[in-house]
Amino acid sequence: MTSIERALKAAAALGPGPLAAYAVHRLKLATGWLRIRTPGRAWSAWALADLLEPSVPGSPEAYALFRSERSFPRFFFDGSAPRLPIPARQARSSADAILRGSLVKFTGSAPRPGFPPQAWNVVVGPSGETRWIPSDRHWSTYDLGRLGVDARLLWEPSRFGWVLPLARAFRATRDLRYAEGFWRLWESWADENPPNAGVQWASGQEVALRLLALVVALYAFAPAWRKRPGRVAALAQAVLIHARRIPPTLGYARAQGNNHVLSEAAGLYTAGVLFPEARDAARWRHTGRRLFVEGLQRQVFADGGYIQHSTNYHRLALQLGLWMARLGSVNEDPLTREAIALLGRLTRGLANFVDASTGGAVHFGPDDGSDLFAFDPDLTVDSRPTLQAASRLFLGEPLLASGPWDELAVWLGIPSASKSRARRMKKAGRSERAVAPIMPDAGLVRLNGRNTWGCMRAAHFRSRPGHSDQLHVDLWWRGRNVALDPGSYLYQAPAPWEGGFGEAGLHNTLTVDGADPMERAGPFLWLDWAQAELLGQWNSAGGSIQAAAAEHHGYRSIIHRRTLVRAGESWWIVADDLLGPGRHRATAGWNLPDLPWSSRGGTIRLRSRRGEIGLSVEGGTVSIYRAGKCVKGEPPPEASPRWGWRSGTYGRMEPALRVVFEQEGPLPMRIVSRFELGGGRQAEPKIEWMPPGKGPAAVARVRLGKTTLEIAEA
């Protein structure tokens, strides 16, 4: 493909509106307009009085008194907030780790040295190398693609996610160490990052998320600062300076058309609502609310899916919705009914990606670890707090029984379930949520057992794909992810890790002749989208046997059709059919947990505390990889050093097992994979197969015991 052809395809993938908005943003950068609109000055050069209405006193003492004597807008919590549903020792544990210097919650990077950190703009790369990015220039002069490091790693500590654990510990104990710890961190950060200078100011979204954290700090630590008016004034000044940074680059956020615009809208709205004394408060409030509602209208699919095809960003969008809805509600400015309905859809949509017993979620699409409400840095992979709060607020009842995951709802001031409802859910012993078996817009088919569930990607894309993961299958059993999505790792990394884990050849799917069905044109851009079509979903009476089938056309003249079958609680069967002309080589791969294993022939068995996990394949050759090395069999031509790795959290890799089956021959071709969960040689389902390409699925009939699922006549 020529560079002109690639550029035309990229323009078509982005769309004319976003492309024009991005072009205008680049023009503003090139002409210096953004530098003029966001002047770089020392903190001391920003007089508080210049940020406020003329009638508002600008001295720290007078301003703090002004704030305390008036009936100012409400936040989610105050001094009379209910007790948290966690023991104080748990709150202390994560906060004390922060006071010891552990500020990075999701990455494999070393914690910042000392407390406070000696340098906020230092990042540790994937090979352990350290890179310092000086903050001595205006933010607009930095090219984020040429920093030599992944900017997301640099930004994480400066999102101030550490505010929440400190605020939690202070609320639970009233120990002033946590309030003082925040202040020392804030002063350290501010000294190194003056307004609009350095990479920490380069992204409007990062500025907005930091603004939200500063607001939490202002309200959470207010009881400790009754005699420290200077701190109240300094934080208010910081919030207003952050808010002023956001509007000049809203065009870039609109060009992204995703969580960027939601984050920046929430930042503007928050500053406008909580600081009505600011000169620009009314404009911030109006603009933030309007952009957020418009963003929901454009980004939420009819089935509850999210525009970025990413579980993690889906959760972030829902968290921002919780923030906006509660802040508006407590200040008599509720979101529209349509917006609340859209957030309700997002809630049910997220439930389809989450294991209710553990809170673990499928790592579909890009996953940079974003978590607006990370009260406990060790539990950022738990989506239950978000689901519980969102279902209470947007659906009118909780999707989960009561538990520690109710903490977020308490912070947000969301009423708890009625006692009768809580008793019913506790008696049920598990989630009563009803998950939709099919999300056609999001591209998800889900099959559910009592102790096992699985889902398959089958998207007909109307917005940019996140990963090349068509027909990927994720399997869960007794709360454990047994067939894994590899995650993302990094958005920018040196070879061989460039691109992270986005390609089809790293997912639980199949590739043809070693090629990807889509072409990668950047960290967040795919060309020649592989479009999938759901062919059907079937259930036996009582639901003990289920099946689904889908196909995609990414290989043009070749169709990849996949049938997924759940038989009871122990068996999953996946049949991959390749249909079309000619002779081809198919490579199917499965990512499995890094557990003790044994192999004989085409069968691999893993030993876990929950029981044995077996995977077998019919036909072809088998090779097994761990941590980038082939530990059994002969590598196929497209073998990758990224095989046998997964990224459960952004920036960190951990070993996994990748089992690869390769088969070559004329089409049509079929590869069948069987998962047996629990061992014990349980009764195997009897399957009557259809010839490849005949009927909507590879199977005609599935029998397990006395139950039969009929799909088509044999």
Side-chain angles (χ1 to χ4, degrees), residues 491-507:
Y491 293 153
Q492 294 182 3
W497 310 107
E498 67 271 25
F501 294 131
E503 291 93 335
L506 303 170
H507 284 81

Side-chain angles (χ1 to χ4, degrees), residues 177-220:
R177 290 188 305 121
Y178 303 115
E180 290 302 307
F182 162 78
W183 192 253
R184 290 183 64 192
L185 288 169
W186 161 247
E187 286 190 316
S188 170
W189 187 90
D191 285 345
E192 192 174 334
N193 297 280
N196 297 322
V199 179
Q200 304 298 356
W201 297 88
S203 165
Q205 179 179 40
E206 298 302 316
V207 171
L209 294 175
R210 188 161 58 245
L211 183 157
L212 301 185
L214 288 171
V215 166
V216 170
L218 181 62
Y219 282 85

Side-chain angles (χ1 to χ4, degrees), residues 12 28 77 125 141 153 205 275 282 285 292 342 349 358 367 410 419 459 477 517 536 559 588 618 632:
K28 290 178 179 179
F77 56 84
T141 65
L153 298 181
Q205 179 179 40
F275 297 88
R285 179 173 183 160
F292 193 87
L342 290 169
T358 63
D367 182 352
V410 174
K419 292 184 178 180
W477 176 56
I559 296 173
E618 293 180 2
K632 179 181 174 60

Side-chain angles (χ1 to χ4, degrees), residues 120 151-152 157 280 330 336-337 354 381 528:
W120 288 90
R152 183 66 185 87
D280 299 312
V330 299
T336 64
R337 290 185 178 180
V354 174
V381 296
D528 294 326

Side-chain angles (χ1 to χ4, degrees), residues 274-556:
L274 296 179
F275 297 88
E277 70 274 19
R279 287 180 183 268
D280 299 312
R283 179 167 56 87
W284 292 342
R285 179 173 183 160
H286 172 75
T287 301
R289 178 187 169 92
R290 175 177 57 81
L291 288 180
F292 193 87
V293 173
E294 289 177 359
L296 290 179
Q297 292 169 337
R298 294 170 181 169
Q299 296 179 27
V300 180
F301 295 154
D303 60 7
Y306 186 59
I307 195 169
Q308 288 184 266
H309 297 280
S310 159
T311 310
N312 184 251
Y313 292 147
H314 186 143
R315 182 179 69 172
L316 178 61
L318 189 55
Q319 291 175 335
L320 290 165
L322 282 165
W323 180 286
M324 289 287 290
R326 285 298 297 147
L327 189 60
S329 178
V330 299
N331 287 289
E332 299 182 355
D333 186 29
L335 290 179
T336 64
R337 290 185 178 180
E338 180 190 14
I340 296 298
L342 290 169
L343 290 166
R345 287 185 198 169
L346 272 184
T347 303
R348 292 197 180 278
L350 182 62
N352 272 353
F353 296 98
V354 174
D355 183 79
S357 65
T358 63
V362 179
H363 285 273
F364 281 159
D367 182 352
D368 71 351
S370 294
D371 188 350
L372 189 62
F373 299 120
F375 291 103
D376 190 333
D378 294 331
L379 297 178
T380 58
V381 296
D382 191 345
S383 292
R384 288 175 296 182
T386 300
L387 269 181
Q388 188 77 326
S391 59
R392 281 189 186 183
L393 188 60
F394 303 132
L395 302 179
E397 62 177 11
L399 290 180
L400 303 163
S402 297
W405 41 86
D406 288 308
E407 181 182 2
L408 175 57
V410 174
W411 278 91
L412 295 173
I414 301 172
S416 60
S418 66
K419 292 184 178 180
S420 60
R421 171 68 177 168
R423 281 196 297 269
R424 290 199 306 273
M425 295 197 72
K426 184 175 182 180
K427 185 176 180 181
R430 62 186 181 92
S431 168
E432 293 181 357
R433 60 188 169 87
V435 294
I438 299 173
M439 295 175 67
D441 299 314
L444 178 75
V445 183
R446 175 164 171 155
L447 307 182
N448 290 298
R450 293 188 306 274
N451 298 311
T452 185
W453 62 279
C455 50
M456 177 167 61
R457 285 283 280 149
H460 190 89
F461 295 114
R462 294 182 290 111
S463 59
R464 285 185 286 159
H467 282 176
S468 179
D469 58 357
Q470 289 287 34
L471 306 192
H472 166 93
V473 165
D474 233 67
L475 299 179
W476 294 69
W477 176 56
R478 296 179 179 173
R480 177 151 206 165
N481 197 183
V482 298
L484 323 157
D485 187 288
S488 291
Y489 182 43
L490 292 171
Y491 293 153
Q492 294 182 3
W497 310 107
E498 67 271 25
F501 294 131
E503 291 93 335
L506 303 170
H507 284 81
N508 297 334
T509 186
L510 179 149
T511 59
V512 178
D513 297 329
D516 197 290
M518 298 193 287
E519 181 183 359
R520 190 158 209 165
F524 307 104
L525 182 62
W526 294 89
L527 306 179
D528 294 326
W529 299 348
Q531 300 289 19
E533 177 186 359
L534 177 66
L535 301 177
Q537 197 269 342
W538 304 271
N539 298 287
S540 67
S544 61
I545 305 176
Q546 297 175 305
E551 64 183 26
H552 82 77
H553 305 257
Y555 292 106
R556 311 305 179 265

Side-chain angles (χ1 to χ4, degrees), residues 668-679:
M669 178 191 300
R670 173 172 290 166
I671 298 176
V672 179
S673 306
R674 286 182 169 84
F675 284 86
E676 182 185 5
L677 307 177

